[in-house]
Amino acid sequence: MILGIPKTSKSISANGIEYIREPLSERRRRRNILTPVPRPLCKPINKEAFHLFLHEDILRTNLRYTNMKARLVRRYLCQSDNYSLPFTIQEFLACLVIIIRSGNDRDNFTELENLSSIDIGKPFYRACMTVRRFKYLLSCIRFDNSNTREARRADNKFAAVSEIWELFLSALPRYL
């Protein structure tokens, strides 16, 4: 008897739940052990399948408007260092791949500095582009000419992405 409590192998609570006082000597059955289920990972993106949605015309149009915005930002900031050079199609695609991959790996809510950190980040993000260049590209990315948007919006409420949408629709018959 310990502290007035009889040393029995089982105790019953007020609501009827039975507790065992001594640890089990045998191993629990495997079906009683909860193990985390591995999350499914997406299959690698096939380059041809990726270009079905974003073919060369769409990429060049996006790149043209993005570089227009980048020139305005460069002029406003009066900077001429390497990170503010005009973007290339490879950089634009790398930016899209970073966004898609971070969503797939569930890193999309991780801070950008942590994604490419040497200590806790993944090497993939560091290999694609620097954080500073990635932020700059995200701030400059455009899908249309913002100088003429207001005039086009009077006729078309879809004006912000209508040119890209038309390019996408014109490419669909090639793949049907």
Side-chain angles (χ1 to χ4, degrees), residues 11-169:
S11 295
I12 299 176
S13 68
N15 59 0
I17 297 176
E18 191 173 291
Y19 293 98
I20 300 173
R21 290 184 179 263
E22 298 172 16
L24 294 174
S25 59
E26 75 272 355
R27 185 179 169 161
R28 292 195 183 267
R29 285 184 251 151
R30 185 164 178 78
R31 68 177 184 205
N32 290 340
I33 299 173
L34 297 177
T35 55
V37 178
R39 64 184 169 100
L41 292 175
C42 295
K43 294 180 181 177
I45 298 173
N46 187 348
K47 187 176 180 180
E48 289 80 25
F50 186 74
H51 284 288
L52 286 175
F53 292 101
L54 293 171
H55 57 85
E56 187 109 6
D57 296 338
I58 292 176
L59 291 173
R60 289 200 185 283
T61 304
N62 281 349
L63 191 64
R64 183 176 69 237
Y65 294 133
T66 300
N67 280 329
M68 282 173 55
K69 175 66 175 182
R71 276 192 299 274
L72 292 173
V73 171
R74 239 188 337 266
R75 216 175 297 142
Y76 176 74
L77 297 176
C78 301
Q79 293 180 341
S80 61
D81 55 356
N82 287 340
Y83 98 96
S84 62
L85 291 173
F87 299 108
T88 63
I89 285 187
Q90 288 78 21
E91 283 180 305
F92 194 79
L93 285 172
C95 178
L96 292 176
V97 168
I98 288 172
I99 293 168
I100 292 169
R101 174 80 184 259
S102 67
N104 181 46
D105 293 348
R106 298 186 181 161
D107 290 335
N108 46 344
F109 292 110
T110 307
E111 292 183 25
L112 290 175
E113 286 76 15
N114 292 341
L115 280 181
S116 61
S117 166
I118 293 175
D119 299 329
I120 58 175
K122 295 179 182 174
F124 170 79
Y125 299 113
R126 286 191 303 276
C128 285
M129 73 175 55
T130 64
V131 174
R132 187 176 179 195
R133 183 77 171 164
F134 182 69
K135 284 181 177 180
Y136 182 59
L137 179 55
L138 285 180
S139 68
C140 293
I141 197 166
R142 295 291 179 266
F143 298 99
D144 72 327
N145 187 351
S146 57
N147 299 332
T148 62
R149 185 182 303 156
E150 290 304 319
R152 290 180 291 121
R153 187 172 282 165
D155 299 332
N156 182 4
K157 292 185 179 186
F158 199 52
V161 291
S162 62
E163 185 177 356
I164 301 298
W165 182 250
E166 294 298 325
L167 289 171
F168 177 72
L169 291 179

